[in-house]
Amino acid sequence: MKCRALLIVLLLAVATRAGLLYAGWDSPGLLTPDSRDYAALADDLRADGTFGPRHSPEIFRTPGYPLLIAACAERGLLFFVQILLDVALVALVWKLAAMVVSRRAAIIAATFQAITPLVVAASCRVLSDSVYAFLFMLSVLLLVRHIKKGSFRALVASAILLSAACYFRPVGLAMAGVFALVLLTRPQRLWNTGVFTGVVLACIAPWVLRNQAAGGYWGFSSFATDSMYAYSAPQTLAQAEGISMEDARAKLLKKSRSPTDRSTPGDRARLRADAALQVIGKYPWTFARIHLKGCAGFWLPGATDVLEIAGMTKGQAGTLDVLRTRGIRSAAKHYFDGDIAAMIAAVPMVLILLAIYFGVLIGVLKKLRLRMSATCRFFFLLVLVSAFAGGTASTPRFRVPVTGLLNIAAAFGWLAIVDRLGRRKEKASSGEPS
């Protein structure tokens, strides 16, 4: 019966993803500006095996997703792979929930994962989110196995898979820090943490060496400092000095301009990093306030992703800027622009998210009354770091990798509600005081 229930949930996951892809097959919503960057890098790989133009090797993006695009000759094959992995991710959520809560909670968590609009949309776009989420969740599951059973193989496999995930999204390196921190609280802490860290470093070292040889950059990716340069630093400067965003970006551009035409991508990345860090160092409290406020974008519904793929709305209309400056009501008005049909379509998707968040809240409150296990602390830290890492660049997309963990917490919360109601019903039927 339980296997049948899981099969039904997996079929539901296939239906939602295939249905959205079918509805939006000719929609421009399948692509974003990031999608075009990935496609261009894949074209370079197909053409001559280089990653980025020869005169300017790419050091911001990592090669995992462009390689996948290059390997999938047709767009249909790429989406088939992404949907297949995303359905497998639903099964991983089920397995992880069964390990840490119960099989009853596992079905609830998997059902939430199957119908979460943000996750469904992620598998139907030319973006790295769904593939990264699968690799990330598999590495989480293996580390939980290590925590529970002490499996050394699971520890090494977790490190390898998380390293592979980093090649799709470099933010995985921040997650590796969380993994290591949790291992430091466990038995044989120095040995296990050393092994995990050593495997991760060995796996990412080839790309660090490539970046240095090709682009003069010692690092795995310039994504962190480039994101500060593009988002946090100009907003901090604009607010601190009372100037427009255009003027702030112009000042940063002047500070980061290379004095020579022979500068490498690494040289230019360091100049951008220095310019951003100077602003943040000069106005740390303004930066902190803006960063924390921007993190609210992480928790937004993400229903707009589904609507854009379905062709009901259009993205890249400056809605996030409106949200940051004028609030959520103004942002919603700006985005929907009076489209009643799109607003109605968004309602059930928002309700699904609210149901998940309510379950998470109840689950967290229940856990706070009990002794929090190492696994719970691990999940909490992963969500916390994910929520606060993006800052002003945060979007609901950043929630995709940890949605499975939130769905497990939601399942735990809803199961607690169901069990409490069941006990009350039993007491009422037996005549006992509640």
Side-chain angles (χ1 to χ4, degrees), residues 234 237-249 251:
L237 188 61
Q239 190 165 123
E241 298 188 358
I243 60 177
S244 68
M245 283 292 291
E246 291 75 12
D247 289 341
R249 290 193 173 105
K251 289 185 73 170

Side-chain angles (χ1 to χ4, degrees), residues 23-333:
W25 185 253
D26 295 320
S27 167
L30 293 175
L31 303 175
T32 71
D34 285 347
S35 307
R36 297 178 182 92
D37 290 346
Y38 285 127
L41 290 169
D43 290 340
D44 290 335
L45 286 169
R46 287 195 195 101
D48 53 16
T50 61
F51 192 64
R54 287 186 180 275
H55 65 278
S56 183
E58 178 70 26
I59 61 171
F60 176 78
R61 299 197 186 279
T62 42
Y65 195 62
L67 278 170
L68 178 61
I69 297 175
C72 297
E74 298 292 335
R75 187 177 69 169
L77 179 58
L78 175 66
F79 285 131
F80 174 79
V81 171
Q82 290 185 182
I83 289 176
L84 181 66
L85 291 176
D86 212 43
V87 174
L89 176 58
V90 174
L92 286 180
V93 171
W94 176 87
K95 178 65 176 178
L96 187 56
M99 287 173 62
V100 301
V101 187
S102 68
R103 286 182 173 264
R104 289 171 63 206
I107 289 298
I108 300 172
T111 302
F112 277 140
Q113 187 73 17
I115 63 173
T116 299
L118 180 69
V119 178
V120 174
S123 65
C124 300
R125 274 185 156 169
V126 183
L127 289 171
S128 60
D129 299 357
S130 61
V131 183
Y132 170 78
F134 171 78
L135 293 169
F136 171 74
M137 188 60 73
L138 187 52
S139 68
V140 169
L141 187 149
L142 286 165
L143 196 75
V144 170
R145 184 184 294 275
H146 166 75
I147 290 172
K148 288 184 169 293
K149 299 185 177 180
S151 169
F152 183 75
R153 288 184 180 180
L155 174 70
V156 174
S158 175
I160 292 172
L161 284 163
L162 186 58
S163 303
C166 291
Y167 279 88
F168 284 84
R169 291 191 69 81
V171 72
L173 292 175
M175 299 299 105
V178 176
F179 280 52
L181 184 63
V182 170
L183 287 170
L184 281 172
T185 67
R186 306 297 299 159
Q188 296 184 301
R189 55 179 65 102
L190 295 179
W191 168 252
N192 287 333
T193 305
V195 168
F196 181 88
T197 304
V199 171
V200 171
L201 291 176
C203 289
I204 68 170
W207 197 247
V208 174
L209 294 174
R210 175 268 176 193
N211 284 343
Q212 169 57 25
Y217 180 76
W218 276 113
F220 188 71
S221 165
S222 64
F223 85 98
T225 51
D226 278 349
S227 294
M228 284 193 293
Y229 176 84
Y231 299 102
S232 302
Q235 290 192 40
T236 299
L237 188 61
Q239 190 165 123
E241 298 188 358
I243 60 177
S244 68
M245 283 292 291
E246 291 75 12
D247 289 341
R249 290 193 173 105
K251 289 185 73 170
L252 281 168
L253 180 61
K254 186 177 180 181
K255 288 183 179 181
S256 62
R257 186 171 289 123
S258 174
T260 172
D261 292 336
R262 295 186 178 182
S263 61
T264 65
D267 293 332
R268 295 190 289 274
R270 282 187 288 275
L271 287 169
R272 292 192 297 270
D274 289 345
L277 291 172
Q278 283 176 20
V279 170
I280 292 169
K282 187 176 181 180
Y283 305 111
W285 298 115
T286 304
F287 164 75
R289 185 171 64 254
I290 290 173
H291 184 91
L292 291 174
K293 185 178 178 181
C295 291
F298 178 89
W299 302 103
L300 293 176
T304 54
D305 294 46
V306 174
L307 297 174
E308 288 164 21
I309 292 171
M312 298 183 70
T313 60
K314 293 182 180 180
Q316 308 303 317
T319 306
L320 279 178
D321 287 337
V322 176
L323 174 67
R324 294 180 186 118
T325 56
R326 304 209 302 267
I328 192 167
R329 288 186 63 183
S330 296
K333 185 177 180 180

